[in-house]
Amino acid sequence: MSHRNGTPTSDDAFLAELGIKPELNRRIGAFGNFAISFSVICILAGGMSLFGFGMSHGGPVVMLGTWVGIGFFTLLVGLSLADVVSAYPTSGGPYFMADKLGGAAWGWATGWLNFLGLLGAIAGIDYGAAAFAGAFAQMQWGITPTAGTTMLLFGVILLVHGLLNSAGVRLVTVLNSISVWWQLAGVAVIVGSLSFAPAKHQSVSFVFTHFHNDTGFSNPLYVVLVGALLAGYTFCGYDASAHVAEETTNAQVSAPKGIVRSIWVSWVAGFVLIAGMLFAVQDYAATQNTATGVPPAQIFLDVLGASGAKALLLIVIVAMLFCGNAEVAACSRMVYAFSRSRALWGWQRWRLVNERTKTPVPAVWLSVVVPFLLALPALWSPAAYGAITAINAVGMIPAYGVPVFLALKKGPNYRPGLWTLGRWRRPVAVVAVAYVVVITTVFCLPQSEPITADSFNYAGVSLLAALLLAWVTWLTRGKKAYQLTADRTAQPSEALLNESL
């Protein structure tokens, strides 16, 4: 191991230099670190669940064109974030970096954005998995999914993810590693099956130039911006590599490499997946309005029949389950670190680590219970649920941009880690920060017209609510309680635990 100045040191010794007492097991290697971010990005989850959105918001040319563009700019953000992660490889991720580079208030605000974004991501991913499972049940057994059955299945999925993550990081790492090969093989099987099936295929011209607009807006540039959200929402979650840095060997190098690799591999594989699906569309309007509620399922049915469609749908569902499990792992580490800094109510409990598994078990269960509560409004209003889960990307993407901006602002006083962009750091970071501002604005734009309570885009409201929450909690609690590297030399007493409840 080496420190940023080249002198030998261990991962844990470097953590100590940052003011952190190591408590977690370092059982994750370079591949495992890449695997968790790749699993969280999960092109089979984002690409499939948002496929219908893309068909309505610009169609094939926008789906593929913005995938290329958003993927490129996401890679620049990932490269810039990776540079900072190498300097501060801790479970806290963006909030720890922001605090170190800009001060406590920056760290607090970034932490709340990242925390709420992670919770929204778990709610969206696992609820999406439940919805896809409902489509499968309808195809297999003729069971029509309802809001109640979807919510019940969602709760079961969260419970399973809580149990798996409580078992320890070794099991989570194995599952994430399987997830990588499952996704890559899944893309190959899906695209291969659709390509070689004896059914008609769309022309190259259709796939790469056809524009389809059901948004209600007439300006094509505006439709392109809104349509970019298929890729924008999918390319989220690569901060997972940072959140498990304290459990990764050679973290100063492995964690930043994990971020960058997860983005470019997802970029390439996702393009192949979306293009393959578009070539296989049989009836555009019928696919959009499918009775299954899941346009990719209709494509599978049209091309391969019921048996083939169910097989491919199962591939997607399992990938979603892997994705949700990895996101719970990332979120729980963020909860653990944020509690270590005394930022959350009940921090004394959420920072506890199981002595046997060296896993922050209470943080795991907080990371599954809160998303379930957040999703409950879906029983009465899809719009209310959308407002909650919208905080996913609109909270997480700015949280990635803040430490990059602060490192840029630091200028020559910024000390990079072992993995660094060197002379390219500044120009790449300038473009990355500009992109974060633009894409965050796009996340908040109206997505369809006329604008009603059901069609309203609540992302902007969610972002403002998150920032307001961060500001109010900073004034009422953060200034007094927050400590980036609070004393961890002693386990909390029973009195402290009781105080936190």
Side-chain angles (χ1 to χ4, degrees):
M1 299 299 303
S2 300
H3 184 8
R4 67 186 76 182
N5 61 12
T7 58
T9 185
S10 69
D11 285 308
D12 288 348
F14 185 53
L15 268 188
E17 290 181 28
L18 294 175
I20 295 174
K21 177 187 175 183
E23 291 185 301
L24 308 178
N25 274 342
R26 288 195 183 271
R27 295 185 177 274
I28 302 177
F31 183 81
N33 187 279
F34 148 75
I36 189 170
S37 282
F38 183 75
S39 297
V40 170
I41 293 174
C42 193
I43 52 175
L44 284 174
M48 294 294 94
S49 60
L50 291 165
F51 194 86
F53 175 90
M55 293 181 74
S56 299
H57 293 71
V61 65
V62 173
M63 294 167 75
L64 287 177
T66 58
W67 185 271
V68 173
I70 296 295
F72 172 74
F73 286 111
T74 300
L75 185 60
L76 296 186
V77 177
L79 285 164
S80 298
L81 184 64
D83 192 294
V84 189
V85 168
S86 181
Y88 304 103
T90 75
S91 298
Y95 96 85
F96 189 96
M97 306 175 220
D99 188 303
K100 283 288 190 180
L101 295 168
W106 278 103
W108 180 271
T110 304
W112 275 99
L113 283 175
N114 194 206
F115 173 53
L116 294 172
L118 287 165
L119 293 174
I122 294 170
I125 291 165
D126 280 355
Y127 191 86
F132 267 66
F136 177 85
Q138 185 179 40
M139 292 166 59
Q140 177 66 28
W141 301 292
I143 300 173
T144 302
T146 65
T149 57
T150 302
M151 186 62 65
L152 177 62
L153 187 53
F154 172 57
V156 171
I157 291 171
L158 285 171
L159 176 63
V160 171
H161 285 164
L163 293 171
L164 291 173
N165 276 273
S166 297
V169 73
R170 176 178 288 180
L171 175 60
V172 172
T173 302
V174 169
L175 292 173
N176 288 336
S177 298
I178 295 172
S179 171
V180 171
W181 301 113
W182 182 273
Q183 285 199 64
L184 294 177
V187 169
V189 170
I190 290 171
V191 174
S193 300
L194 295 177
S195 300
F196 294 107
K200 73 168 185 177
H201 290 85
Q202 297 291 344
S203 66
V204 172
S205 174
F206 172 86
V207 171
F208 291 100
T209 67
H210 182 68
F211 181 80
H212 187 92
N213 178 20
D214 291 330
T215 65
F217 296 105
S218 58
N219 188 319
L221 177 59
Y222 186 88
V223 176
V224 170
L225 288 175
V226 176
L229 295 184
L230 183 159
Y233 278 117
T234 302
F235 282 112
C236 266
Y238 45 87
D239 60 318
S241 289
H243 291 305
V244 297
E246 291 179 35
E247 296 160 276
T248 300
T249 56
N250 194 21
Q252 294 177 72
V253 175
S254 297
K257 282 186 175 181
I259 290 173
V260 176
R261 286 172 178 167
S262 68
I263 294 171
W264 75 256
V265 174
S266 298
W267 189 20
V268 173
F271 182 87
V272 173
L273 175 65
I274 294 172
M277 294 287 293
L278 288 171
F279 272 113
V281 172
Q282 302 297 297
D283 184 321
Y284 204 93
T287 300
Q288 286 182 286
N289 301 307
T290 173
T292 67
V294 179
Q298 189 61 48
I299 295 174
F300 300 158
L301 277 169
D302 291 342
V303 177
L304 301 170
S307 297
K310 286 182 283 189
L312 295 191
L313 200 58
L314 274 179
I315 291 175
V316 175
I317 292 169
V318 172
M320 289 179 165
L321 295 176
F322 278 131
C323 175
N325 191 64
E327 191 71 90
V328 169
C331 183
S332 63
R333 272 50 175 187
M334 197 278 165
V335 169
Y336 158 75
F338 215 30
S339 298
R340 183 170 61 191
S341 298
R342 306 182 181 185
L344 299 179
W345 292 279
W347 58 268
Q348 296 94 332
R349 179 170 296 279
W350 313 127
R351 73 178 192 175
L352 290 175
V353 175
N354 183 279
E355 286 298 319
R356 182 178 60 84
T357 63
K358 298 297 181 183
T359 299
V361 174
V364 168
W365 288 107
L366 183 69
S367 300
V368 298
V369 170
V370 174
F372 181 78
L373 297 177
L374 290 177
L376 280 177
L379 288 172
W380 302 279
S381 171
Y385 169 68
I388 293 165
T389 55
I391 193 59
N392 174 11
V394 83
M396 292 174 73
I397 299 296
Y400 304 161
V402 168
V404 174
F405 165 74
L406 293 175
L408 196 60
K409 187 180 176 184
K410 202 86 171 174
N413 294 322
Y414 168 71
R415 295 177 61 202
L418 285 176
W419 193 97
T420 178
L421 296 175
R423 63 190 179 91
W424 289 102
R425 183 179 65 82
R426 185 172 183 81
V428 171
V430 168
V431 178
V433 170
Y435 166 74
V436 167
V437 173
V438 171
I439 195 65
T440 301
T441 303
V442 172
F443 280 135
C444 301
L445 294 175
Q447 296 171 1
S448 60
E449 196 178 44
I451 300 172
T452 65
D454 287 335
S455 67
F456 184 76
N457 180 9
Y458 290 90
V461 176
S462 298
L463 178 59
L464 289 175
L467 292 173
L468 179 62
L469 177 64
W471 179 64
V472 171
T473 55
W474 171 251
L475 294 178
T476 58
R477 172 181 172 79
K479 284 187 174 182
K480 297 179 290 184
Y482 177 66
Q483 293 178 252
L484 181 64
T485 53
D487 180 24
R488 300 286 286 117
T489 57
Q491 289 295 321
S493 66
E494 190 67 32
L496 279 175
L497 285 176
N498 290 334
E499 176 194 331
S500 74
L501 299 177

